[in-house]
Amino acid sequence: MFEPDLMAEITPKKGAAGFILGSSIKDIVKKIGRVNWYESNANIYNKCLQNHGWIGSVYYQSNIGKPYHKGMHSSEYNILKTLIYKNNLIRLSFNKTGKLYVISLGLGYGKSFYNAKPSDNIKLLEKYFKIYFDNQDDVFYLYKESNNDLIPGICFSTNYRVSLEEAPEQIIEFISIHDWSLQ
């Protein structure tokens, strides 16, 4: 069985843990081996708590503006899949065509991004970047100090999910490596 590299570099908009954005779910499943699959309504949270390997979640998303129901024709919905390693240590999210577009790194991931990893204070990043809280997505984005450019392909979720003004001390729970153009 493939063990993810928990000390692999975190490269925004590219990859982490031995996975590369844009990879197909078919290739990744072949690489990791056994996956126990569940529908998204199968209480995935509890499954993650007991998980020692990989589990998969299947979500059916309506593409016609109506809620999904079992009687829908296959052209009326998309199938979205997620692979979860251990207790949300790594979460791989795939688009409707089966391409990896988000790698989420949770508590226990060993490599840091500019000295900050899950379980560290988000303020560690202030030494290198401006930190911006997006209240639409409840995540933090980073901007270069020099030219105010967004660092694409990375964001951070914390334990409070509010601005630093509202809660100055926040712990990183997840680092998301993503390529929204693949969504």
Side-chain angles (χ1 to χ4, degrees):
M1 179 173 101
F2 172 78
E3 290 288 326
D5 183 354
L6 302 180
M7 292 303 292
E9 292 293 325
I10 299 171
T11 308
K13 206 171 179 182
K14 184 169 183 198
F19 299 102
I20 303 295
L21 296 173
S23 300
S24 75
I25 191 168
K26 180 180 171 186
D27 290 342
I28 289 176
V29 168
K30 193 183 304 182
K31 180 178 184 176
I32 64 175
R34 183 187 162 131
V35 175
N36 293 319
W37 288 97
Y38 301 94
E39 290 197 10
S40 62
N41 61 358
N43 199 349
I44 293 298
Y45 176 76
N46 285 337
K47 304 264 187 245
C48 285
L49 292 176
Q50 303 162 7
N51 183 32
H52 300 288
W54 288 95
I55 61 173
S57 172
V58 179
Y59 174 74
Y60 300 92
Q61 176 190 51
S62 171
N63 61 16
I64 60 169
K66 297 179 183 176
Y68 170 80
H69 59 85
K70 290 241 186 242
M72 291 179 102
H73 187 273
S74 62
S75 66
E76 298 176 318
Y77 63 88
N78 298 315
I79 300 173
L80 304 175
K81 295 182 178 180
T82 303
L83 292 169
I84 304 160
Y85 183 67
K86 295 192 175 178
N87 185 13
N88 258 333
L89 176 59
I90 298 171
R91 181 181 286 256
L92 307 175
S93 300
F94 299 85
N95 66 17
K96 65 183 178 184
T97 65
K99 297 291 182 196
L100 178 63
Y101 76 98
V102 177
I103 303 168
S104 294
L105 309 170
L107 298 172
Y109 195 78
K111 192 68 172 179
S112 63
F113 181 78
Y114 284 86
N115 299 323
K117 64 180 185 259
S119 79
D120 288 337
N121 193 311
I122 188 88
K123 284 185 163 184
L124 287 174
L125 294 165
E126 286 182 324
K127 183 176 177 181
Y128 309 98
F129 305 101
K130 290 181 188 175
I131 301 173
Y132 168 75
F133 180 70
D134 179 341
N135 60 5
Q136 296 293 314
D137 294 329
D138 293 338
V139 296
F140 289 90
Y141 290 101
L142 305 176
Y143 288 84
K144 294 178 186 172
E145 284 283 345
S146 58
N147 58 9
N148 228 18
D149 281 348
L150 173 72
I151 305 297
I154 190 166
C155 64
F156 299 80
S157 298
T158 64
N159 57 333
Y160 286 106
R161 291 180 170 81
V162 296
S163 71
L164 289 174
E165 291 78 29
E166 293 180 56
E169 301 299 318
Q170 297 188 44
I171 302 302
I172 299 168
E173 291 184 331
F174 291 97
I175 300 174
S176 172
I177 310 306
H178 53 265
D179 185 344
W180 296 134
S181 72
L182 296 172
Q183 189 177 15

